Amino acid sequence: QVQLVESGGGLVQAGGSLRLSCAASGRTSSSTSMGWFRQAAGKERAFVAAFNWGGGKSYADSVKGRFTISGDNAKNTVYLQMNSLKPEDTAVYFCAAAPSIVALITLPNAWGQGTQVTVSS
């Protein structure tokens, strides 16, 4: 199994930036794709961004041009740099892992505990 731990959430003003981290541990060989989802209060979970350790990235239309996903292989850590934040970005952000992008989008095999991001107007 793989364990995921998110960090970096907090309160930020609209237009500001935050950098989220997701550290993976345990059996990480089946986590070739990692990414981020978010769930706002009263809303369903939504895809945000995906990252392949072998190359490639994908973003939801709502965050393109504002968010950047990246990874540090030596640390088994994936990051989400969030710029130009909007109040609509307020949500609990969850890290996820899976053997492929398709699996990540449909049924990740691991989830982090979530980290709260709050953007004030």
Side-chain angles (χ1 to χ4, degrees):
Q1 74 276 19
V2 60
Q3 293 79 46
L4 306 174
V5 179
E6 304 99 328
S7 62
L11 175 64
V12 66
Q13 294 181 337
S17 299
L18 283 174
R19 184 180 176 90
L20 305 183
S21 298
C22 175
S25 61
R27 191 172 183 271
T28 60
S29 61
S30 62
S31 302
T32 55
S33 295
M34 296 179 65
W36 295 90
F37 294 76
R38 65 187 182 185
Q39 185 168 18
K43 305 293 184 180
E44 294 186 350
R45 183 192 66 188
F47 169 75
V48 175
F51 171 85
N52 295 314
W53 288 106
K57 302 175 182 180
S58 182
Y59 298 94
D61 289 341
S62 60
V63 305
K64 286 181 179 178
R66 300 190 297 121
F67 292 9
T68 302
I69 190 169
S70 62
D72 185 334
N73 188 59
K75 296 182 178 180
N76 287 323
T77 299
V78 171
Y79 304 96
L80 185 68
Q81 179 67 46
M82 305 185 294
N83 298 326
S84 301
L85 282 163
K86 306 174 181 179
E88 305 92 273
D89 296 317
T90 295
V92 177
Y93 283 70
F94 297 92
C95 181
S100 68
I101 287 291
V102 171
L104 182 73
I105 299 300
T106 57
L107 187 64
N109 61 9
W111 290 97
Q113 82 286 354
T115 185
Q116 176 71 46
V117 172
T118 302
V119 184
S120 62
S121 59

PDB file of all heavy atoms in Angstrom, residues 47-64:
ATOM      1  N   PHE A  47     -11.828  16.880 -10.125  1.00  0.00           N
ATOM      2  CA  PHE A  47     -10.446  16.741 -10.550  1.00  0.00           C
ATOM      3  C   PHE A  47      -9.797  18.108 -10.707  1.00  0.00           C
ATOM      4  O   PHE A  47     -10.418  19.048 -11.210  1.00  0.00           O
ATOM      5  CB  PHE A  47     -10.388  15.978 -11.870  1.00  0.00           C
ATOM      6  CG  PHE A  47      -9.045  15.999 -12.535  1.00  0.00           C
ATOM      7  CD1 PHE A  47      -8.005  15.220 -12.063  1.00  0.00           C
ATOM      8  CD2 PHE A  47      -8.823  16.811 -13.636  1.00  0.00           C
ATOM      9  CE1 PHE A  47      -6.763  15.240 -12.673  1.00  0.00           C
ATOM     10  CE2 PHE A  47      -7.590  16.835 -14.260  1.00  0.00           C
ATOM     11  CZ  PHE A  47      -6.557  16.047 -13.774  1.00  0.00           C
ATOM     12  N   VAL A  48      -8.534  18.214 -10.304  1.00  0.00           N
ATOM     13  CA  VAL A  48      -7.795  19.468 -10.419  1.00  0.00           C
ATOM     14  C   VAL A  48      -6.602  19.324 -11.355  1.00  0.00           C
ATOM     15  O   VAL A  48      -6.472  20.062 -12.328  1.00  0.00           O
ATOM     16  CB  VAL A  48      -7.315  19.967  -9.045  1.00  0.00           C
ATOM     17  CG1 VAL A  48      -6.449  21.217  -9.195  1.00  0.00           C
ATOM     18  CG2 VAL A  48      -8.508  20.252  -8.142  1.00  0.00           C
ATOM     19  N   ALA A  49      -5.707  18.381 -11.062  1.00  0.00           N
ATOM     20  CA  ALA A  49      -4.495  18.233 -11.854  1.00  0.00           C
ATOM     21  C   ALA A  49      -3.926  16.836 -11.679  1.00  0.00           C
ATOM     22  O   ALA A  49      -4.112  16.207 -10.642  1.00  0.00           O
ATOM     23  CB  ALA A  49      -3.451  19.277 -11.453  1.00  0.00           C
ATOM     24  N   ALA A  50      -3.203  16.361 -12.697  1.00  0.00           N
ATOM     25  CA  ALA A  50      -2.566  15.049 -12.664  1.00  0.00           C
ATOM     26  C   ALA A  50      -1.130  15.158 -13.141  1.00  0.00           C
ATOM     27  O   ALA A  50      -0.796  16.026 -13.963  1.00  0.00           O
ATOM     28  CB  ALA A  50      -3.331  14.048 -13.526  1.00  0.00           C
ATOM     29  N   PHE A  51      -0.290  14.264 -12.647  1.00  0.00           N
ATOM     30  CA  PHE A  51       1.137  14.259 -12.936  1.00  0.00           C
ATOM     31  C   PHE A  51       1.598  12.827 -13.135  1.00  0.00           C
ATOM     32  O   PHE A  51       1.265  11.940 -12.352  1.00  0.00           O
ATOM     33  CB  PHE A  51       1.890  14.910 -11.766  1.00  0.00           C
ATOM     34  CG  PHE A  51       3.381  14.792 -11.831  1.00  0.00           C
ATOM     35  CD1 PHE A  51       4.124  15.700 -12.557  1.00  0.00           C
ATOM     36  CD2 PHE A  51       4.035  13.782 -11.151  1.00  0.00           C
ATOM     37  CE1 PHE A  51       5.502  15.603 -12.613  1.00  0.00           C
ATOM     38  CE2 PHE A  51       5.415  13.682 -11.198  1.00  0.00           C
ATOM     39  CZ  PHE A  51       6.148  14.596 -11.930  1.00  0.00           C
ATOM     40  N   ASN A  52       2.368  12.595 -14.206  1.00  0.00           N
ATOM     41  CA  ASN A  52       2.981  11.298 -14.454  1.00  0.00           C
ATOM     42  C   ASN A  52       4.470  11.390 -14.161  1.00  0.00           C
ATOM     43  O   ASN A  52       5.150  12.279 -14.684  1.00  0.00           O
ATOM     44  CB  ASN A  52       2.788  10.859 -15.907  1.00  0.00           C
ATOM     45  CG  ASN A  52       1.346  10.612 -16.258  1.00  0.00           C
ATOM     46  OD1 ASN A  52       0.619   9.967 -15.502  1.00  0.00           O
ATOM     47  ND2 ASN A  52       0.930  11.111 -17.411  1.00  0.00           N
ATOM     48  N   TRP A  53       4.969  10.461 -13.352  1.00  0.00           N
ATOM     49  CA  TRP A  53       6.399  10.474 -13.047  1.00  0.00           C
ATOM     50  C   TRP A  53       7.236  10.252 -14.302  1.00  0.00           C
ATOM     51  O   TRP A  53       8.363  10.738 -14.377  1.00  0.00           O
ATOM     52  CB  TRP A  53       6.726   9.415 -11.992  1.00  0.00           C
ATOM     53  CG  TRP A  53       6.233   9.778 -10.635  1.00  0.00           C
ATOM     54  CD1 TRP A  53       5.171   9.253  -9.968  1.00  0.00           C
ATOM     55  CD2 TRP A  53       6.799  10.779  -9.771  1.00  0.00           C
ATOM     56  NE1 TRP A  53       5.027   9.850  -8.742  1.00  0.00           N
ATOM     57  CE2 TRP A  53       6.014  10.790  -8.592  1.00  0.00           C
ATOM     58  CE3 TRP A  53       7.877  11.654  -9.874  1.00  0.00           C
ATOM     59  CZ2 TRP A  53       6.286  11.650  -7.536  1.00  0.00           C
ATOM     60  CZ3 TRP A  53       8.137  12.518  -8.816  1.00  0.00           C
ATOM     61  CH2 TRP A  53       7.352  12.502  -7.668  1.00  0.00           C
ATOM     62  N   GLY A  54       6.680   9.550 -15.281  1.00  0.00           N
ATOM     63  CA  GLY A  54       7.379   9.340 -16.538  1.00  0.00           C
ATOM     64  C   GLY A  54       7.227  10.475 -17.528  1.00  0.00           C
ATOM     65  O   GLY A  54       7.773  10.401 -18.633  1.00  0.00           O
ATOM     66  N   GLY A  55       6.494  11.498 -17.158  1.00  0.00           N
ATOM     67  CA  GLY A  55       6.294  12.651 -18.020  1.00  0.00           C
ATOM     68  C   GLY A  55       4.835  12.889 -18.323  1.00  0.00           C
ATOM     69  O   GLY A  55       4.060  11.941 -18.460  1.00  0.00           O
ATOM     70  N   GLY A  56       4.455  14.136 -18.406  1.00  0.00           N
ATOM     71  CA  GLY A  56       3.098  14.493 -18.754  1.00  0.00           C
ATOM     72  C   GLY A  56       2.333  15.091 -17.592  1.00  0.00           C
ATOM     73  O   GLY A  56       2.527  14.710 -16.438  1.00  0.00           O
ATOM     74  N   LYS A  57       1.452  16.028 -17.912  1.00  0.00           N
ATOM     75  CA  LYS A  57       0.616  16.688 -16.929  1.00  0.00           C
ATOM     76  C   LYS A  57      -0.753  16.937 -17.531  1.00  0.00           C
ATOM     77  O   LYS A  57      -0.915  17.005 -18.747  1.00  0.00           O
ATOM     78  CB  LYS A  57       1.219  18.024 -16.484  1.00  0.00           C
ATOM     79  CG  LYS A  57       2.607  17.936 -15.883  1.00  0.00           C
ATOM     80  CD  LYS A  57       3.153  19.319 -15.593  1.00  0.00           C
ATOM     81  CE  LYS A  57       4.552  19.266 -15.042  1.00  0.00           C
ATOM     82  NZ  LYS A  57       5.093  20.625 -14.762  1.00  0.00           N
ATOM     83  N   SER A  58      -1.728  17.091 -16.659  1.00  0.00           N
ATOM     84  CA  SER A  58      -3.077  17.392 -17.102  1.00  0.00           C
ATOM     85  C   SER A  58      -3.744  18.283 -16.064  1.00  0.00           C
ATOM     86  O   SER A  58      -3.507  18.122 -14.863  1.00  0.00           O
ATOM     87  CB  SER A  58      -3.887  16.109 -17.302  1.00  0.00           C
ATOM     88  OG  SER A  58      -5.182  16.395 -17.787  1.00  0.00           O
ATOM     89  N   TYR A  59      -4.580  19.216 -16.533  1.00  0.00           N
ATOM     90  CA  TYR A  59      -5.240  20.155 -15.648  1.00  0.00           C
ATOM     91  C   TYR A  59      -6.716  20.281 -15.994  1.00  0.00           C
ATOM     92  O   TYR A  59      -7.112  20.173 -17.154  1.00  0.00           O
ATOM     93  CB  TYR A  59      -4.617  21.549 -15.754  1.00  0.00           C
ATOM     94  CG  TYR A  59      -3.175  21.625 -15.371  1.00  0.00           C
ATOM     95  CD1 TYR A  59      -2.173  21.521 -16.333  1.00  0.00           C
ATOM     96  CD2 TYR A  59      -2.800  21.821 -14.046  1.00  0.00           C
ATOM     97  CE1 TYR A  59      -0.839  21.602 -15.980  1.00  0.00           C
ATOM     98  CE2 TYR A  59      -1.465  21.902 -13.688  1.00  0.00           C
ATOM     99  CZ  TYR A  59      -0.489  21.796 -14.662  1.00  0.00           C
ATOM    100  OH  TYR A  59       0.837  21.882 -14.310  1.00  0.00           O
ATOM    101  N   ALA A  60      -7.505  20.550 -14.965  1.00  0.00           N
ATOM    102  CA  ALA A  60      -8.886  20.919 -15.203  1.00  0.00           C
ATOM    103  C   ALA A  60      -8.933  22.299 -15.848  1.00  0.00           C
ATOM    104  O   ALA A  60      -8.076  23.146 -15.589  1.00  0.00           O
ATOM    105  CB  ALA A  60      -9.667  20.928 -13.893  1.00  0.00           C
ATOM    106  N   ASP A  61      -9.933  22.528 -16.688  1.00  0.00           N
ATOM    107  CA  ASP A  61     -10.042  23.814 -17.372  1.00  0.00           C
ATOM    108  C   ASP A  61     -10.112  24.984 -16.391  1.00  0.00           C
ATOM    109  O   ASP A  61      -9.605  26.072 -16.679  1.00  0.00           O
ATOM    110  CB  ASP A  61     -11.276  23.829 -18.273  1.00  0.00           C
ATOM    111  CG  ASP A  61     -11.131  22.948 -19.493  1.00  0.00           C
ATOM    112  OD1 ASP A  61      -9.990  22.600 -19.849  1.00  0.00           O
ATOM    113  OD2 ASP A  61     -12.164  22.607 -20.101  1.00  0.00           O
ATOM    114  N   SER A  62     -10.711  24.764 -15.245  1.00  0.00           N
ATOM    115  CA  SER A  62     -10.908  25.834 -14.287  1.00  0.00           C
ATOM    116  C   SER A  62      -9.614  26.348 -13.660  1.00  0.00           C
ATOM    117  O   SER A  62      -9.598  27.443 -13.089  1.00  0.00           O
ATOM    118  CB  SER A  62     -11.866  25.380 -13.177  1.00  0.00           C
ATOM    119  OG  SER A  62     -11.348  24.249 -12.497  1.00  0.00           O
ATOM    120  N   VAL A  63      -8.526  25.566 -13.762  1.00  0.00           N
ATOM    121  CA  VAL A  63      -7.273  25.972 -13.130  1.00  0.00           C
ATOM    122  C   VAL A  63      -6.141  26.159 -14.122  1.00  0.00           C
ATOM    123  O   VAL A  63      -5.036  26.554 -13.718  1.00  0.00           O
ATOM    124  CB  VAL A  63      -6.839  24.969 -12.039  1.00  0.00           C
ATOM    125  CG1 VAL A  63      -7.958  24.771 -11.023  1.00  0.00           C
ATOM    126  CG2 VAL A  63      -6.423  23.640 -12.659  1.00  0.00           C
ATOM    127  N   LYS A  64      -6.371  25.913 -15.399  1.00  0.00           N
ATOM    128  CA  LYS A  64      -5.320  26.065 -16.397  1.00  0.00           C
ATOM    129  C   LYS A  64      -4.797  27.500 -16.420  1.00  0.00           C
ATOM    130  O   LYS A  64      -5.562  28.456 -16.392  1.00  0.00           O
ATOM    131  CB  LYS A  64      -5.840  25.687 -17.781  1.00  0.00           C
ATOM    132  CG  LYS A  64      -6.017  24.206 -17.992  1.00  0.00           C
ATOM    133  CD  LYS A  64      -6.505  23.902 -19.400  1.00  0.00           C
ATOM    134  CE  LYS A  64      -6.663  22.411 -19.617  1.00  0.00           C
ATOM    135  NZ  LYS A  64      -7.193  22.108 -20.969  1.00  0.00           N
TER     136      LYS A  64
END
